[in-house]
Amino acid sequence: MAVAALITWLITALGGFYLLYTWISKGGPRKPSTSRFPPALIFGHFALAAAGLVVWIFYVIVDNDALAWIAFVLLVPVAALGFTMLARWLPTYRSRTAAGSVATSTEAPPERHFPIAVVGGHGLFAVTTVVLVLLTALEVGGS
């Protein structure tokens, strides 16, 4: 189960890197920006997720239960920040599909360019990762 969690975490990270790249390349961190995402939100989510992934890799190598719990504890704020970003992204997504919403690419928030499939996949794999990490830390299923 620990290896399955590692695989889902890596897939989640790939989706996250793509979304981060899109946000940055479309002007997210620039001042002034039309983004609904403050840079601290984006980079905090990224930094905590990356730190948790490093801890999880060490856990898989050394099989120390404390490392599994540290990784899980790091995932809690990562998930909270992720849900915050989802809540801020949904109005942008809805306005993209609303009739009469014709914003130019320079007026549109950077997150408007996020592919729906990547956002959904990133979220799905993230939830799966959190569940697998928790089950592994609880030693459910012989992990």
Side-chain angles (χ1 to χ4, degrees), residues 34-46:
T34 58
S35 179
R36 294 173 157 259
F37 298 164
L41 175 66
I42 296 285
F43 294 116
H45 177 77
F46 168 75

Side-chain angles (χ1 to χ4, degrees), residues 23-95:
W23 185 75
I24 290 172
S25 68
K26 299 298 181 181
R30 290 188 212 124
K31 300 281 186 197
S33 176
T34 58
S35 179
R36 294 173 157 259
F37 298 164
L41 175 66
I42 296 285
F43 294 116
H45 177 77
F46 168 75
L48 286 170
L53 178 58
V54 169
V55 170
W56 192 254
I57 290 169
F58 281 118
Y59 166 74
V60 169
I61 294 168
V62 300
D63 193 25
N64 180 322
D65 291 343
L67 291 175
W69 284 107
I70 292 169
F72 177 74
V73 167
L74 285 169
L75 279 177
V76 172
V78 170
L81 293 172
F83 282 119
T84 301
M85 286 188 283
L86 177 64
R88 289 174 176 237
W89 176 77
L90 284 173
T92 302
Y93 167 70
R94 288 185 184 131
S95 70

Side-chain angles (χ1 to χ4, degrees), residues 94-102:
R94 288 185 184 131
S95 70
R96 169 171 67 179
T97 60
S101 175
V102 185

Side-chain angles (χ1 to χ4, degrees), residues 84-132:
T84 301
M85 286 188 283
L86 177 64
R88 289 174 176 237
W89 176 77
L90 284 173
T92 302
Y93 167 70
R94 288 185 184 131
S95 70
R96 169 171 67 179
T97 60
S101 175
V102 185
T104 65
S105 62
T106 57
E107 296 170 352
E111 54 274 11
R112 178 172 282 182
H113 302 279
F114 291 170
I116 298 164
V118 177
V119 171
H122 180 70
L124 181 64
F125 277 100
V127 169
T128 303
T129 300
V130 171
V131 169
L132 288 173

